[in-house]
Amino acid sequence: MNAAVNYVHEQLTQVKEFPKFKAGDNVTVNYKIVEGGKERIQSFRGDVLKIQGNGATATFTVRKISNSVGVERTFPFSSPNVDSIVLNKVGKVRRAKLYFLRERSGKSARIKEKRFSNL
């Protein structure tokens, strides 16, 4: 019974292909904003603080510093308003939820970039 419900649910919900990213990565989220009758795409570039949930309810939180004020925004993976996600940098972190970045500012709030060797 449950397998049949999952199958129908997967067929009805369109799954967008996003790049694989995790907490600590720097991403640009392009999302649609509706103002009156007009639609436009706005980008939000920042570090991923956390990814939570699974399936249709999965969300991720992105944090950026704007005019020396920290701004966090949570995006659902399955939202039709999320147009695309671009992976800018892969961060080198040792935990899944980076809440400690909220108390930090300046150089201590930076995340090291993971380097890949070209073999």
Side-chain angles (χ1 to χ4, degrees), residues 9-21:
H9 182 69
E10 288 172 9
Q11 298 302 317
L12 292 177
T13 58
Q14 63 176 22
V15 178
K16 291 182 184 168
E17 286 298 316
F18 295 130
K20 287 281 183 196
F21 61 92

Side-chain angles (χ1 to χ4, degrees), residues 56-71:
T57 61
T59 61
F60 61 101
T61 301
V62 181
R63 178 181 175 84
K64 74 173 182 178
I65 306 295
S66 178
N67 296 329
S68 69
V69 176
V71 179

Side-chain angles (χ1 to χ4, degrees), residues 30-69:
N30 298 312
Y31 59 98
K32 294 179 194 149
I33 291 191
V34 179
E35 293 173 332
K38 290 188 235 169
E39 238 183 43
R40 65 183 175 89
I41 292 181
Q42 183 168 319
S43 61
F44 190 92
R45 180 176 177 158
D47 296 321
V48 178
L49 280 192
K50 64 178 176 175
I51 297 175
Q52 68 181 21
N54 53 26
T57 61
T59 61
F60 61 101
T61 301
V62 181
R63 178 181 175 84
K64 74 173 182 178
I65 306 295
S66 178
N67 296 329
S68 69
V69 176

Side-chain angles (χ1 to χ4, degrees), residues 19-29 44-49 60-65 85-93 98 101 109-114:
K20 287 281 183 196
F21 61 92
K22 57 181 179 32
D25 293 353
N26 188 286
V27 295
T28 303
V29 182
F44 190 92
R45 180 176 177 158
D47 296 321
V48 178
L49 280 192
F60 61 101
T61 301
V62 181
R63 178 181 175 84
K64 74 173 182 178
I65 306 295
I85 301 172
V86 180
L87 180 62
N88 302 320
K89 293 181 189 171
V90 178
K92 184 179 175 186
V93 293
L98 306 178
L101 290 177
R110 288 192 298 194
I111 297 173
K112 283 188 179 174
E113 186 176 355
K114 190 180 279 188

